[in-house]
Amino acid sequence: MKNEQLEVPNLTSKLRKDLVFSPPVIQNASGIQLFGQTIKSIIYTTDVAVIANCDADAILAVYPWTPNTRILQAISCVANVPFLAGIGGGLTKGLRSVTIGRFAEEMGANGVVLNAPTSHKSIMAVSKGIDVPVFYTVVNNEVNLKKLIQLGVNAFNVAGGKETAKLVYWIREELEKEYPNFPIIASGGHTDASIQETIDAGANAITFSASSLTDKIFKKKMELYRSK
C-alpha cells in the first residue's frame, strides 16, 4: 500500500480530545517557515485555555490594550507552538515597544507584531533591538510597503476586514518584482470560501478567531453534563 493512500492517524486522549480545530481549508495555504517550522494556521487569541487546547500551528497574541509583560509570560507558559506577540505601535511605541519586544523574545516569542500606525522611527528601533521577525499590520492600501520592508519589517499581517483578500492581492501586485516571496499572513474570515479567497489572493498563512469555536465546544459539553 502506498503512503498517499493512508489516512493520517489521530492520537489523542479521553480528557484532551475536544480541541479547538482550525478550519481544514487553511491547509491549502503554502505556509511560512518560521525558525524551521511550517506555519499555516494561526489562531488569534490571548485566552490561555484556548492556547493550551488548540491544533493551530501558531498563536497571534494581539489585543486592544497596551502590551503587558504578564500577559506575554502567561502565554509563554501554556503555548505548545510558536507565538507572535503584539508589542504596540499606536499609543505604545518607541523605547517601550522595543523593551516589550525584548521581553517577548526572552519569553520565547517567535515574532513580534506592530500595529498599523507605528512610526518609521519605532519600526527601525524594534528591528534593530530584537532578534525575531517583525510583522507589520496592514489595514489599508495607503502604506508604502517597500519603505516598511527597508526599515526592517520581515512580514505583513493583513487585517482589512471584508477587504482583506483584495488587500492581500494588492500587496502581491506591489511587491511582485522586488519581493515576490515576501511573507504574508492574513485574516481569513468566517467561511471556507472567504479563507480560500484570501489564500488565492496570495496569503501564505491564515489567522482565525477562536471565539465561536470555543462557544460550540462549551455548549456541547454543557448539554452533555445536563443530560447526565
Side-chain angles (χ1 to χ4, degrees):
M1 182 180 288
K2 296 182 180 179
N3 284 341
E4 57 264 26
Q5 296 176 324
L6 296 175
E7 293 185 5
V8 178
N10 181 22
L11 295 177
T12 182
S13 70
K14 184 167 62 175
L15 298 180
R16 288 184 284 180
K17 62 182 179 180
D18 290 320
L19 298 177
V20 175
F21 290 101
S22 57
V25 66
I26 292 178
Q27 294 308 308
N28 294 335
S30 66
I32 291 175
Q33 284 283 312
L34 185 60
F35 292 108
Q37 298 186 56
T38 301
I39 307 298
K40 292 186 178 184
S41 61
I42 306 172
I43 193 166
Y44 166 47
T45 183
T46 52
D47 186 326
V48 292
V50 172
I51 290 171
N53 292 280
C54 71
D55 78 334
D57 299 322
I59 313 299
L60 179 63
V62 298
Y63 42 93
W65 302 279
T66 189
N68 187 301
T69 55
R70 290 176 297 172
I71 293 174
L72 292 176
Q73 186 172 23
I75 291 170
S76 71
C77 288
V78 299
N80 297 314
V81 294
F83 72 96
L84 310 175
I87 61 170
L91 294 176
T92 304
K93 52 191 174 183
L95 180 59
R96 186 174 178 84
S97 286
V98 177
T99 302
I100 295 172
R102 288 291 299 274
F103 180 88
E105 182 184 336
E106 290 297 319
M107 287 291 102
N110 299 76
V112 296
V113 183
L114 289 169
N115 293 331
T118 308
S119 69
H120 288 178
K121 185 177 180 180
S122 290
I123 293 172
M124 287 182 63
V126 169
S127 66
K128 291 180 179 179
I130 64 173
D131 188 42
V132 292
V134 177
F135 290 70
Y136 181 89
T137 304
V138 178
V139 296
N140 56 45
N141 61 1
E142 299 178 6
V143 292
N144 187 329
L145 301 171
K146 295 176 183 178
K147 180 64 175 179
L148 293 173
I149 294 171
Q150 292 166 2
L151 291 170
V153 170
N154 305 111
F156 289 131
N157 167 42
V158 184
K162 294 180 180 179
E163 302 298 317
T164 294
K166 293 180 180 179
L167 203 50
V168 171
Y169 185 80
W170 170 74
I171 293 172
R172 283 295 177 214
E173 281 194 318
E174 290 290 307
L175 302 181
E176 184 177 9
K177 292 183 178 179
E178 294 182 53
Y179 306 97
N181 297 312
F182 196 78
I184 298 175
I185 68 174
S187 55
H190 300 292
T191 67
D192 287 355
S194 63
I195 291 173
Q196 188 62 57
E197 183 184 11
T198 305
I199 294 172
D200 292 341
N204 300 104
I206 297 294
T207 63
F208 68 99
S209 174
S211 56
S212 61
L213 299 172
T214 307
D215 290 343
K216 287 180 181 179
I217 292 174
F218 219 133
K219 183 178 179 181
K220 180 181 177 182
K221 281 275 181 84
M222 293 309 296
E223 288 176 349
L224 176 63
Y225 295 158
R226 291 188 191 104
S227 69
K228 292 184 177 181

